[in-house]
Amino acid sequence: MQPTVLAIPEQPEGGIAGWAAQLVDTMGGPGAGLAIALENLFPPLPSEVILPLTGFAAGQGVLSLASALFWTTLGSVVGALALYWIGALLGRERMYKIWEKLPLVKTADLERTEAWFAKHGTKAVFFGRMVPIFRSLISVPAGVERMSVPVFTALTTAGSLLWNSVLVLAGYWLGDQWEKVEDYVGIFSKVVLVLVLIGLVVFLFARVTRGRGQRRRGQRR
């Protein structure tokens, strides 16, 4: 029996979609899981391409839908745990030493961030799995703060399963129009990035303005 070859409509062979399709064609579910694990470690790899494509592959009979959901969720958890342990190995002391060398930031900012994470960390890990880029970054402070590994794994599994299911099922139902998912999620990703950049600009502007005000008051004395 000849293996099913996954055809990707209107996608260049050398693109992300071609790379992900080759992994799924060659390895099946584990290939999809590997692609998503790498997407967690390298956020520029878009899950909004890999996950719908995996759903499309399931619709084409390359792998089962259950296998697609299992392996992509496992890949998300493996990638997140790798970043968690990077944060754990980094530790609070190294984090503070690095933070102290950064311009325009203060130790108090990091302390407030830690206090916020201590209060809202579980929600951040769960809902963060559904926010592009943030879903990778949130694993690092979870490791730095040494969140319980079973709790982190459970929250990551639940959040990833929900996010992956939406995109995999969308690709499964849309069939050869799976790329439409990328368009809609891409808009959402851009909105998130713009909001993050705006927040960063506001923070830096406030910090620079406050620093200048403090220097002027010091000169008057």
Side-chain angles (χ1 to χ4, degrees), residues 193-204:
L193 285 175
V194 168
L195 291 175
V196 170
L197 287 173
I198 290 173
L200 182 60
V201 169
V202 170
F203 169 80
L204 292 176

Side-chain angles (χ1 to χ4, degrees), residues 28-40 47 50-51 54 63-82 126 129 135 152-169:
L34 175 60
I36 289 300
L38 292 173
E39 180 267 335
N40 274 263
S47 65
I50 298 169
L51 291 170
T54 303
L63 72 168
S64 69
L65 187 57
S67 177
L69 293 174
F70 171 79
W71 285 104
T72 54
T73 300
L74 180 61
S76 295
V77 173
V78 169
L81 282 171
F126 176 75
R129 306 311 307 171
R135 63 173 159 265
F152 175 81
T153 303
L155 291 168
T156 299
T157 300
S160 298
L161 179 60
L162 182 57
W163 173 256
N164 294 357
S165 296
V166 169
L167 297 191
V168 168
L169 288 172

Side-chain angles (χ1 to χ4, degrees), residues 42-64:
F42 305 102
L45 291 175
S47 65
E48 60 266 26
V49 170
I50 298 169
L51 291 170
L53 176 61
T54 303
F56 171 60
Q60 296 291 300
V62 176
L63 72 168
S64 69

Side-chain angles (χ1 to χ4, degrees), residues 70-95:
F70 171 79
W71 285 104
T72 54
T73 300
L74 180 61
S76 295
V77 173
V78 169
L81 282 171
L83 290 172
Y84 173 95
W85 286 113
I86 288 173
L89 290 172
L90 180 64
R92 292 182 76 253
E93 288 186 12
R94 288 195 185 95
M95 176 66 78

